[in-house]
Amino acid sequence: MTRVAILISGGGSNMLALLRDMAEDRAAVPVLVASNDPAAPGLDRAAALGVPTAAVDHRAFGGDRAAFEAALLTPLLAARPDILCLAGFMRVLTPVFVDRFRGRMLNIHPSLLPLYPGLHTHARALVAGDAEAGCTVHEVTPVLDSGPVLGQARVPVLPGDSEATLGARVLAMEHRLYPAVLRRFVRGDRTPVCLP
Ligand code: GRF
């Protein structure tokens, strides 16, 4: 069975969606949920579902990304993951770390890439007056938010939308898109998922 590790930084709603779908699809098994924040609520949510967890506080390493990643690799490699899913993981990873998981590391980003890489994606879509927004699952490469697209989901931007209302609409689609992409990826199928 394909072994999947998930990296989170916060609530882990995407992580939960992946766990639930893996339990149903049964083609992959979650072997670790790890976070750069020991207080990430997602860690308790994963533990409550019986998934091993680990936390490596990036603040203990100052700005030394390589040292943080070396510490993160200890529990990560011990779990022997085949695939690494970034799910609300808010740390930029060095090319050294990315290359270690090249071709088997996924990320979900709350915009229709290549539109709006980086932060504040919903605010930027609203300011631009976009008619639609959405999310993208992509393979992680050393350049932030720019790897091959494995899936996209589109939602309408509605009159009166705020960052919060648009973000909630996109998040609901993230929870559908990421599991659908992982199901294909586990089977070696790189055909992009397009939702709705
Ligand atoms: C989501 O919008 C995701 O796209 C972004 O982080 C946000 C929170 O994700 N990467 P989660 O609820 O912690 O999964």
Side-chain angles (χ1 to χ4, degrees), residues 59-126:
R59 290 161 301 195
F61 300 91
D64 187 341
R65 290 185 189 280
F68 161 65
E69 291 173 357
L72 179 61
L73 276 174
T74 299
L76 193 52
L77 295 180
R80 294 183 291 109
D82 301 303
I83 294 171
L84 188 50
C85 289
L86 308 183
F89 187 67
M90 303 309 278
R91 304 300 299 166
V92 173
L93 294 164
T94 66
V96 170
F97 187 97
V98 171
D99 280 343
R100 193 173 197 126
F101 294 95
R102 194 71 176 256
R104 55 198 184 102
M105 178 155 56
L106 310 181
N107 181 45
I108 189 158
H109 179 76
S111 79
L112 295 171
L113 291 173
L115 283 177
Y116 314 130
L119 299 174
H120 312 303
T121 60
H122 306 311
R124 291 153 72 187
L126 291 170

Short mmCIF file of all heavy atoms in Angstrom, two decimals, residues 59-126:
data_model
loop_
_atom_site.label_atom_id
_atom_site.label_comp_id
_atom_site.label_asym_id
_atom_site.label_seq_id
_atom_site.Cartn_x
_atom_site.Cartn_y
_atom_site.Cartn_z
N ARG A 59 10.57 27.65 14.76
CA ARG A 59 11.10 28.83 15.45
C ARG A 59 12.34 28.50 16.28
O ARG A 59 13.13 29.37 16.62
CB ARG A 59 10.01 29.43 16.36
CG ARG A 59 8.88 30.08 15.57
CD ARG A 59 7.63 30.26 16.38
NE ARG A 59 7.14 28.98 16.87
CZ ARG A 59 5.90 28.82 17.37
NH1 ARG A 59 5.07 29.85 17.45
NH2 ARG A 59 5.51 27.63 17.78
N ALA A 60 12.54 27.22 16.56
CA ALA A 60 13.72 26.82 17.36
C ALA A 60 15.00 26.93 16.54
O ALA A 60 16.11 26.83 17.08
CB ALA A 60 13.53 25.39 17.85
N PHE A 61 14.83 27.13 15.21
CA PHE A 61 16.01 27.13 14.34
C PHE A 61 16.31 28.53 13.78
O PHE A 61 17.08 28.67 12.84
CB PHE A 61 15.80 26.11 13.21
CG PHE A 61 15.61 24.72 13.72
CD1 PHE A 61 14.34 24.24 14.01
CD2 PHE A 61 16.70 23.90 13.98
CE1 PHE A 61 14.16 22.96 14.52
CE2 PHE A 61 16.53 22.62 14.49
CZ PHE A 61 15.25 22.15 14.75
N GLY A 62 15.63 29.54 14.34
CA GLY A 62 15.84 30.90 13.83
C GLY A 62 15.52 30.92 12.35
O GLY A 62 14.55 30.36 11.91
N GLY A 63 16.34 31.50 11.55
CA GLY A 63 16.07 31.54 10.11
C GLY A 63 16.79 30.44 9.36
O GLY A 63 16.82 30.45 8.12
N ASP A 64 17.33 29.47 10.10
CA ASP A 64 18.13 28.43 9.43
C ASP A 64 17.21 27.34 8.87
O ASP A 64 16.89 26.36 9.55
CB ASP A 64 19.13 27.83 10.42
CG ASP A 64 20.10 26.87 9.74
OD1 ASP A 64 19.76 26.40 8.62
OD2 ASP A 64 21.15 26.55 10.33
N ARG A 65 16.78 27.53 7.63
CA ARG A 65 15.84 26.60 7.01
C ARG A 65 16.44 25.21 6.88
O ARG A 65 15.75 24.21 7.14
CB ARG A 65 15.43 27.10 5.61
CG ARG A 65 14.56 28.33 5.61
CD ARG A 65 14.10 28.66 4.17
NE ARG A 65 13.43 29.97 4.15
CZ ARG A 65 12.16 30.14 4.54
NH1 ARG A 65 11.45 29.10 4.96
NH2 ARG A 65 11.62 31.35 4.50
N ALA A 66 17.71 25.13 6.55
CA ALA A 66 18.34 23.82 6.35
C ALA A 66 18.33 23.03 7.65
O ALA A 66 18.07 21.81 7.66
CB ALA A 66 19.76 24.00 5.83
N ALA A 67 18.58 23.72 8.77
CA ALA A 67 18.61 23.03 10.08
C ALA A 67 17.21 22.56 10.46
O ALA A 67 17.02 21.44 10.95
CB ALA A 67 19.16 23.97 11.15
N PHE A 68 16.22 23.40 10.19
CA PHE A 68 14.83 22.99 10.47
C PHE A 68 14.47 21.76 9.64
O PHE A 68 13.92 20.78 10.15
CB PHE A 68 13.88 24.15 10.15
CG PHE A 68 12.45 23.72 9.98
CD1 PHE A 68 11.73 23.19 11.04
CD2 PHE A 68 11.83 23.81 8.73
CE1 PHE A 68 10.40 22.79 10.88
CE2 PHE A 68 10.51 23.41 8.56
CZ PHE A 68 9.80 22.89 9.63
N GLU A 69 14.81 21.81 8.36
CA GLU A 69 14.45 20.69 7.48
C GLU A 69 15.20 19.41 7.86
O GLU A 69 14.64 18.32 7.79
CB GLU A 69 14.72 21.08 6.02
CG GLU A 69 13.76 22.14 5.52
CD GLU A 69 14.10 22.65 4.13
OE1 GLU A 69 15.13 22.21 3.57
OE2 GLU A 69 13.35 23.47 3.60
N ALA A 70 16.44 19.55 8.31
CA ALA A 70 17.19 18.37 8.76
C ALA A 70 16.49 17.73 9.95
O ALA A 70 16.35 16.50 10.03
CB ALA A 70 18.63 18.76 9.12
N ALA A 71 15.98 18.57 10.85
CA ALA A 71 15.25 18.04 12.03
C ALA A 71 13.93 17.41 11.60
O ALA A 71 13.53 16.36 12.11
CB ALA A 71 15.01 19.17 13.02
N LEU A 72 13.27 18.04 10.64
CA LEU A 72 11.98 17.51 10.15
C LEU A 72 12.18 16.17 9.45
O LEU A 72 11.34 15.27 9.55
CB LEU A 72 11.35 18.53 9.20
CG LEU A 72 10.02 18.18 8.57
CD1 LEU A 72 8.93 17.98 9.61
CD2 LEU A 72 9.61 19.26 7.56
N LEU A 73 13.31 16.00 8.79
CA LEU A 73 13.56 14.77 8.04
C LEU A 73 13.64 13.54 8.94
O LEU A 73 13.34 12.43 8.52
CB LEU A 73 14.86 14.90 7.22
CG LEU A 73 14.73 15.58 5.85
CD1 LEU A 73 16.11 15.76 5.23
CD2 LEU A 73 13.82 14.79 4.92
N THR A 74 14.03 13.74 10.21
CA THR A 74 14.20 12.58 11.09
C THR A 74 12.89 11.79 11.24
O THR A 74 12.83 10.62 10.84
CB THR A 74 14.75 13.04 12.46
OG1 THR A 74 16.02 13.65 12.25
CG2 THR A 74 14.89 11.84 13.41
N PRO A 75 11.80 12.40 11.75
CA PRO A 75 10.55 11.63 11.81
C PRO A 75 9.98 11.32 10.44
O PRO A 75 9.36 10.28 10.21
CB PRO A 75 9.61 12.54 12.61
CG PRO A 75 10.16 13.92 12.44
CD PRO A 75 11.64 13.75 12.30
N LEU A 76 10.23 12.19 9.49
CA LEU A 76 9.66 12.02 8.15
C LEU A 76 10.25 10.77 7.48
O LEU A 76 9.51 9.90 7.01
CB LEU A 76 9.93 13.27 7.33
CG LEU A 76 9.18 13.45 6.01
CD1 LEU A 76 7.68 13.30 6.19
CD2 LEU A 76 9.51 14.83 5.43
N LEU A 77 11.56 10.67 7.46
CA LEU A 77 12.18 9.50 6.82
C LEU A 77 11.91 8.22 7.60
O LEU A 77 11.77 7.14 7.04
CB LEU A 77 13.69 9.73 6.65
CG LEU A 77 14.06 10.88 5.70
CD1 LEU A 77 15.58 11.02 5.61
CD2 LEU A 77 13.45 10.67 4.32
N ALA A 78 11.77 8.35 8.92
CA ALA A 78 11.47 7.16 9.74
C ALA A 78 10.12 6.57 9.36
O ALA A 78 9.88 5.37 9.49
CB ALA A 78 11.48 7.54 11.22
N ALA A 79 9.22 7.41 8.85
CA ALA A 79 7.88 6.94 8.45
C ALA A 79 7.90 6.29 7.07
O ALA A 79 6.90 5.72 6.62
CB ALA A 79 6.90 8.11 8.45
N ARG A 80 9.02 6.42 6.36
CA ARG A 80 9.21 5.80 5.03
C ARG A 80 8.06 6.14 4.07
O ARG A 80 7.41 5.26 3.51
CB ARG A 80 9.36 4.28 5.15
CG ARG A 80 10.63 3.87 5.88
CD ARG A 80 10.80 2.35 5.92
NE ARG A 80 9.80 1.73 6.79
CZ ARG A 80 8.78 0.99 6.36
NH1 ARG A 80 8.60 0.80 5.06
NH2 ARG A 80 7.91 0.48 7.23
N PRO A 81 7.77 7.45 3.88
CA PRO A 81 6.68 7.80 2.96
C PRO A 81 7.06 7.60 1.50
O PRO A 81 8.22 7.84 1.12
CB PRO A 81 6.42 9.28 3.24
CG PRO A 81 7.76 9.79 3.68
CD PRO A 81 8.42 8.66 4.43
N ASP A 82 6.09 7.20 0.69
CA ASP A 82 6.29 7.16 -0.77
C ASP A 82 5.92 8.51 -1.38
O ASP A 82 6.47 8.93 -2.38
CB ASP A 82 5.39 6.08 -1.38
CG ASP A 82 5.69 4.70 -0.80
OD1 ASP A 82 6.85 4.26 -0.90
OD2 ASP A 82 4.78 4.09 -0.21
N ILE A 83 4.91 9.14 -0.75
CA ILE A 83 4.40 10.42 -1.25
C ILE A 83 4.31 11.39 -0.07
O ILE A 83 3.98 10.99 1.05
CB ILE A 83 2.99 10.23 -1.88
CG1 ILE A 83 3.09 9.36 -3.14
CG2 ILE A 83 2.34 11.57 -2.22
CD1 ILE A 83 1.73 8.93 -3.69
N LEU A 84 4.58 12.66 -0.36
CA LEU A 84 4.51 13.71 0.65
C LEU A 84 3.47 14.73 0.20
O LEU A 84 3.57 15.25 -0.93
CB LEU A 84 5.88 14.36 0.80
CG LEU A 84 6.12 15.37 1.90
CD1 LEU A 84 5.68 14.84 3.25
CD2 LEU A 84 7.61 15.73 1.96
N CYS A 85 2.46 14.97 1.03
CA CYS A 85 1.42 15.96 0.70
C CYS A 85 1.56 17.17 1.60
O CYS A 85 1.45 17.05 2.82
CB CYS A 85 0.03 15.35 0.88
SG CYS A 85 -0.40 14.11 -0.35
N LEU A 86 1.77 18.33 1.02
CA LEU A 86 1.74 19.59 1.79
C LEU A 86 0.29 20.04 1.82
O LEU A 86 -0.35 20.17 0.77
CB LEU A 86 2.62 20.65 1.13
CG LEU A 86 4.06 20.24 0.80
CD1 LEU A 86 4.81 21.43 0.21
CD2 LEU A 86 4.77 19.70 2.03
N ALA A 87 -0.23 20.26 3.02
CA ALA A 87 -1.66 20.60 3.16
C ALA A 87 -1.79 21.73 4.16
O ALA A 87 -1.85 21.51 5.36
CB ALA A 87 -2.43 19.37 3.61
N GLY A 88 -1.79 22.94 3.66
CA GLY A 88 -1.82 24.09 4.56
C GLY A 88 -0.47 24.25 5.26
O GLY A 88 -0.38 24.75 6.36
N PHE A 89 0.58 23.78 4.61
CA PHE A 89 1.93 23.91 5.16
C PHE A 89 2.50 25.24 4.73
O PHE A 89 2.59 25.51 3.53
CB PHE A 89 2.81 22.75 4.67
CG PHE A 89 4.17 22.70 5.33
CD1 PHE A 89 4.28 22.39 6.68
CD2 PHE A 89 5.33 22.96 4.60
CE1 PHE A 89 5.53 22.32 7.29
CE2 PHE A 89 6.57 22.90 5.20
CZ PHE A 89 6.67 22.59 6.54
N MET A 90 2.86 26.07 5.73
CA MET A 90 3.15 27.46 5.41
C MET A 90 4.64 27.82 5.45
O MET A 90 5.00 28.96 5.63
CB MET A 90 2.38 28.38 6.36
CG MET A 90 0.87 28.14 6.33
SD MET A 90 0.18 28.17 4.66
CE MET A 90 0.00 29.91 4.42
N ARG A 91 5.52 26.84 5.33
CA ARG A 91 6.95 27.13 5.29
C ARG A 91 7.47 26.90 3.88
O ARG A 91 7.12 25.90 3.24
CB ARG A 91 7.73 26.23 6.26
CG ARG A 91 7.27 26.29 7.70
CD ARG A 91 7.37 27.67 8.30
NE ARG A 91 8.76 28.16 8.33
CZ ARG A 91 9.08 29.44 8.55
NH1 ARG A 91 8.13 30.34 8.70
NH2 ARG A 91 10.33 29.82 8.58
N VAL A 92 8.31 27.78 3.39
CA VAL A 92 8.96 27.59 2.09
C VAL A 92 10.09 26.58 2.28
O VAL A 92 10.87 26.68 3.23
CB VAL A 92 9.53 28.92 1.57
CG1 VAL A 92 10.34 28.68 0.29
CG2 VAL A 92 8.39 29.90 1.29
N LEU A 93 10.13 25.58 1.42
CA LEU A 93 11.11 24.51 1.54
C LEU A 93 12.29 24.79 0.61
O LEU A 93 12.13 25.34 -0.48
CB LEU A 93 10.46 23.17 1.18
CG LEU A 93 9.36 22.72 2.15
CD1 LEU A 93 8.50 21.62 1.53
CD2 LEU A 93 9.97 22.26 3.47
N THR A 94 13.47 24.40 1.05
CA THR A 94 14.67 24.65 0.23
C THR A 94 14.71 23.68 -0.94
O THR A 94 14.12 22.59 -0.90
CB THR A 94 15.97 24.43 1.06
OG1 THR A 94 16.04 23.03 1.39
CG2 THR A 94 15.96 25.28 2.32
N PRO A 95 15.44 24.05 -2.00
CA PRO A 95 15.57 23.13 -3.15
C PRO A 95 16.17 21.78 -2.75
O PRO A 95 15.84 20.75 -3.34
CB PRO A 95 16.50 23.89 -4.09
CG PRO A 95 16.30 25.34 -3.74
CD PRO A 95 16.03 25.36 -2.27
N VAL A 96 17.01 21.77 -1.71
CA VAL A 96 17.61 20.50 -1.27
C VAL A 96 16.52 19.56 -0.77
O VAL A 96 16.48 18.38 -1.15
CB VAL A 96 18.65 20.75 -0.15
CG1 VAL A 96 19.11 19.44 0.49
CG2 VAL A 96 19.83 21.53 -0.71
N PHE A 97 15.62 20.10 0.04
CA PHE A 97 14.52 19.27 0.57
C PHE A 97 13.60 18.85 -0.57
O PHE A 97 13.23 17.67 -0.69
CB PHE A 97 13.73 20.08 1.61
CG PHE A 97 12.68 19.29 2.34
CD1 PHE A 97 12.93 18.74 3.59
CD2 PHE A 97 11.42 19.10 1.79
CE1 PHE A 97 11.96 18.02 4.26
CE2 PHE A 97 10.45 18.38 2.45
CZ PHE A 97 10.72 17.84 3.69
N VAL A 98 13.26 19.81 -1.44
CA VAL A 98 12.32 19.52 -2.53
C VAL A 98 12.90 18.43 -3.44
O VAL A 98 12.21 17.49 -3.82
CB VAL A 98 12.02 20.80 -3.34
CG1 VAL A 98 11.23 20.47 -4.60
CG2 VAL A 98 11.26 21.80 -2.47
N ASP A 99 14.18 18.55 -3.76
CA ASP A 99 14.80 17.55 -4.65
C ASP A 99 14.77 16.16 -4.05
O ASP A 99 14.69 15.17 -4.75
CB ASP A 99 16.24 17.96 -4.98
CG ASP A 99 16.28 19.03 -6.07
OD1 ASP A 99 15.23 19.19 -6.76
OD2 ASP A 99 17.32 19.68 -6.23
N ARG A 100 14.80 16.09 -2.71
CA ARG A 100 14.75 14.78 -2.06
C ARG A 100 13.43 14.06 -2.33
O ARG A 100 13.36 12.85 -2.34
CB ARG A 100 14.96 14.98 -0.55
CG ARG A 100 15.25 13.69 0.18
CD ARG A 100 15.62 13.93 1.61
NE ARG A 100 16.26 12.75 2.13
CZ ARG A 100 17.44 12.70 2.72
NH1 ARG A 100 18.09 13.81 2.92
NH2 ARG A 100 17.96 11.57 3.15
N PHE A 101 12.37 14.84 -2.53
CA PHE A 101 11.05 14.26 -2.77
C PHE A 101 10.53 14.60 -4.17
O PHE A 101 9.35 14.55 -4.45
CB PHE A 101 10.05 14.75 -1.70
CG PHE A 101 10.37 14.28 -0.32
CD1 PHE A 101 11.10 15.07 0.56
CD2 PHE A 101 9.97 13.02 0.12
CE1 PHE A 101 11.42 14.64 1.84
CE2 PHE A 101 10.27 12.57 1.41
CZ PHE A 101 11.00 13.38 2.26
N ARG A 102 11.48 14.94 -5.06
CA ARG A 102 11.08 15.38 -6.40
C ARG A 102 10.19 14.34 -7.07
O ARG A 102 10.49 13.15 -7.03
CB ARG A 102 12.35 15.60 -7.25
CG ARG A 102 12.13 16.37 -8.55
CD ARG A 102 11.83 17.83 -8.27
NE ARG A 102 11.71 18.64 -9.49
CZ ARG A 102 12.68 19.47 -9.91
NH1 ARG A 102 13.80 19.56 -9.24
NH2 ARG A 102 12.50 20.21 -10.97
N GLY A 103 9.08 14.81 -7.64
CA GLY A 103 8.20 13.90 -8.37
C GLY A 103 7.24 13.14 -7.48
O GLY A 103 6.38 12.41 -7.98
N ARG A 104 7.35 13.30 -6.16
CA ARG A 104 6.42 12.61 -5.27
C ARG A 104 6.01 13.50 -4.10
O ARG A 104 5.68 13.02 -3.01
CB ARG A 104 7.02 11.31 -4.77
CG ARG A 104 8.38 11.43 -4.09
CD ARG A 104 9.07 10.08 -4.03
NE ARG A 104 10.33 10.18 -3.29
CZ ARG A 104 10.48 9.77 -2.03
NH1 ARG A 104 9.47 9.20 -1.40
NH2 ARG A 104 11.64 9.92 -1.41
N MET A 105 6.01 14.83 -4.33
CA MET A 105 5.57 15.79 -3.32
C MET A 105 4.52 16.70 -3.94
O MET A 105 4.75 17.29 -5.00
CB MET A 105 6.74 16.61 -2.78
CG MET A 105 6.33 17.65 -1.75
SD MET A 105 7.62 18.15 -0.60
CE MET A 105 8.91 18.70 -1.65
N LEU A 106 3.35 16.77 -3.29
CA LEU A 106 2.22 17.55 -3.81
C LEU A 106 1.91 18.70 -2.87
O LEU A 106 2.21 18.63 -1.67
CB LEU A 106 0.98 16.67 -3.92
CG LEU A 106 1.10 15.33 -4.65
CD1 LEU A 106 -0.24 14.62 -4.68
CD2 LEU A 106 1.65 15.52 -6.05
N ASN A 107 1.29 19.73 -3.42
CA ASN A 107 0.85 20.87 -2.62
C ASN A 107 -0.49 21.35 -3.15
O ASN A 107 -0.77 21.23 -4.35
CB ASN A 107 1.85 22.02 -2.70
CG ASN A 107 1.44 23.22 -1.85
OD1 ASN A 107 1.01 23.07 -0.71
ND2 ASN A 107 1.49 24.41 -2.42
N ILE A 108 -1.31 21.88 -2.25
CA ILE A 108 -2.54 22.52 -2.69
C ILE A 108 -2.43 24.02 -2.41
O ILE A 108 -1.95 24.44 -1.36
CB ILE A 108 -3.79 21.93 -2.01
CG1 ILE A 108 -5.05 22.51 -2.68
CG2 ILE A 108 -3.81 22.15 -0.48
CD1 ILE A 108 -6.28 21.67 -2.49
N HIS A 109 -2.80 24.79 -3.43
CA HIS A 109 -2.65 26.25 -3.35
C HIS A 109 -4.01 26.86 -3.67
O HIS A 109 -4.66 26.46 -4.65
CB HIS A 109 -1.59 26.72 -4.34
CG HIS A 109 -1.38 28.21 -4.34
ND1 HIS A 109 -0.69 28.86 -3.35
CD2 HIS A 109 -1.81 29.15 -5.20
CE1 HIS A 109 -0.69 30.16 -3.61
NE2 HIS A 109 -1.36 30.37 -4.73
N PRO A 110 -4.44 27.85 -2.88
CA PRO A 110 -5.80 28.40 -3.05
C PRO A 110 -5.92 29.46 -4.14
O PRO A 110 -6.39 30.59 -3.89
CB PRO A 110 -6.11 28.98 -1.67
CG PRO A 110 -4.79 29.37 -1.13
CD PRO A 110 -3.79 28.38 -1.68
N SER A 111 -5.47 29.11 -5.35
CA SER A 111 -5.72 29.98 -6.51
C SER A 111 -5.65 29.12 -7.76
O SER A 111 -5.21 27.97 -7.72
CB SER A 111 -4.68 31.11 -6.62
OG SER A 111 -3.47 30.62 -7.19
N LEU A 112 -6.07 29.71 -8.87
CA LEU A 112 -5.98 29.02 -10.17
C LEU A 112 -4.60 29.32 -10.75
O LEU A 112 -4.44 30.17 -11.63
CB LEU A 112 -7.10 29.48 -11.09
CG LEU A 112 -8.53 29.12 -10.63
CD1 LEU A 112 -9.57 29.81 -11.49
CD2 LEU A 112 -8.74 27.61 -10.60
N LEU A 113 -3.58 28.62 -10.26
CA LEU A 113 -2.22 28.85 -10.76
C LEU A 113 -2.20 28.70 -12.29
O LEU A 113 -2.99 27.94 -12.85
CB LEU A 113 -1.26 27.82 -10.12
CG LEU A 113 -1.00 28.01 -8.61
CD1 LEU A 113 -0.19 26.84 -8.08
CD2 LEU A 113 -0.30 29.32 -8.33
N PRO A 114 -1.41 29.48 -13.00
CA PRO A 114 -0.34 30.35 -12.47
C PRO A 114 -0.79 31.70 -11.91
O PRO A 114 0.04 32.49 -11.51
CB PRO A 114 0.53 30.55 -13.71
CG PRO A 114 -0.42 30.44 -14.87
CD PRO A 114 -1.45 29.42 -14.44
N LEU A 115 -2.11 31.91 -11.84
CA LEU A 115 -2.56 33.16 -11.20
C LEU A 115 -2.25 33.11 -9.70
O LEU A 115 -2.47 32.08 -9.05
CB LEU A 115 -4.07 33.34 -11.40
CG LEU A 115 -4.57 33.82 -12.75
CD1 LEU A 115 -6.10 33.86 -12.76
CD2 LEU A 115 -4.01 35.21 -13.09
N TYR A 116 -1.77 34.22 -9.17
CA TYR A 116 -1.64 34.44 -7.74
C TYR A 116 -0.84 33.40 -6.97
O TYR A 116 -1.30 32.84 -5.97
CB TYR A 116 -3.04 34.60 -7.10
CG TYR A 116 -3.95 35.52 -7.85
CD1 TYR A 116 -5.25 35.15 -8.18
CD2 TYR A 116 -3.51 36.78 -8.30
CE1 TYR A 116 -6.10 35.97 -8.89
CE2 TYR A 116 -4.33 37.61 -9.02
CZ TYR A 116 -5.63 37.21 -9.33
OH TYR A 116 -6.46 38.04 -10.05
N PRO A 117 0.41 33.13 -7.36
CA PRO A 117 1.27 32.36 -6.46
C PRO A 117 1.51 33.18 -5.19
O PRO A 117 1.31 34.40 -5.19
CB PRO A 117 2.56 32.20 -7.27
CG PRO A 117 2.55 33.31 -8.26
CD PRO A 117 1.11 33.61 -8.56
N GLY A 118 1.89 32.53 -4.12
CA GLY A 118 2.15 33.25 -2.87
C GLY A 118 0.90 33.42 -2.02
O GLY A 118 -0.01 32.61 -2.06
N LEU A 119 0.88 34.51 -1.27
CA LEU A 119 -0.14 34.67 -0.23
C LEU A 119 -1.31 35.56 -0.67
O LEU A 119 -1.29 36.14 -1.76
CB LEU A 119 0.53 35.28 1.02
CG LEU A 119 1.65 34.45 1.66
CD1 LEU A 119 2.33 35.23 2.78
CD2 LEU A 119 1.09 33.12 2.16
N HIS A 120 -2.33 35.64 0.18
CA HIS A 120 -3.47 36.55 -0.01
C HIS A 120 -4.14 36.37 -1.37
O HIS A 120 -4.50 37.35 -2.04
CB HIS A 120 -3.02 38.01 0.17
CG HIS A 120 -2.19 38.23 1.40
ND1 HIS A 120 -2.65 37.93 2.66
CD2 HIS A 120 -0.92 38.70 1.55
CE1 HIS A 120 -1.69 38.20 3.55
NE2 HIS A 120 -0.65 38.66 2.90
N THR A 121 -4.31 35.13 -1.77
CA THR A 121 -4.81 34.86 -3.13
C THR A 121 -6.24 35.35 -3.32
O THR A 121 -6.58 35.90 -4.38
CB THR A 121 -4.77 33.35 -3.40
OG1 THR A 121 -5.58 32.68 -2.42
CG2 THR A 121 -3.34 32.83 -3.31
N HIS A 122 -7.09 35.18 -2.32
CA HIS A 122 -8.50 35.57 -2.48
C HIS A 122 -8.63 37.09 -2.56
O HIS A 122 -9.38 37.61 -3.40
CB HIS A 122 -9.34 35.01 -1.34
CG HIS A 122 -9.19 33.53 -1.16
ND1 HIS A 122 -9.28 32.64 -2.20
CD2 HIS A 122 -8.91 32.77 -0.07
CE1 HIS A 122 -9.09 31.42 -1.76
NE2 HIS A 122 -8.86 31.46 -0.47
N ALA A 123 -7.85 37.79 -1.73
CA ALA A 123 -7.90 39.27 -1.78
C ALA A 123 -7.48 39.76 -3.15
O ALA A 123 -8.08 40.67 -3.72
CB ALA A 123 -7.00 39.83 -0.69
N ARG A 124 -6.46 39.09 -3.71
CA ARG A 124 -5.94 39.52 -5.02
C ARG A 124 -6.96 39.26 -6.13
O ARG A 124 -7.15 40.06 -7.04
CB ARG A 124 -4.60 38.83 -5.30
CG ARG A 124 -3.50 39.31 -4.38
CD ARG A 124 -2.41 38.28 -4.16
NE ARG A 124 -1.54 38.07 -5.31
CZ ARG A 124 -0.61 37.10 -5.36
NH1 ARG A 124 -0.49 36.25 -4.33
NH2 ARG A 124 0.17 36.96 -6.42
N ALA A 125 -7.69 38.15 -6.01
CA ALA A 125 -8.73 37.85 -7.01
C ALA A 125 -9.87 38.86 -6.92
O ALA A 125 -10.40 39.32 -7.93
CB ALA A 125 -9.26 36.44 -6.79
N LEU A 126 -10.23 39.24 -5.70
CA LEU A 126 -11.31 40.21 -5.50
C LEU A 126 -10.90 41.58 -6.02
O LEU A 126 -11.65 42.24 -6.74
CB LEU A 126 -11.69 40.28 -4.02
CG LEU A 126 -12.39 39.05 -3.45
CD1 LEU A 126 -12.49 39.14 -1.93
CD2 LEU A 126 -13.76 38.85 -4.07
#
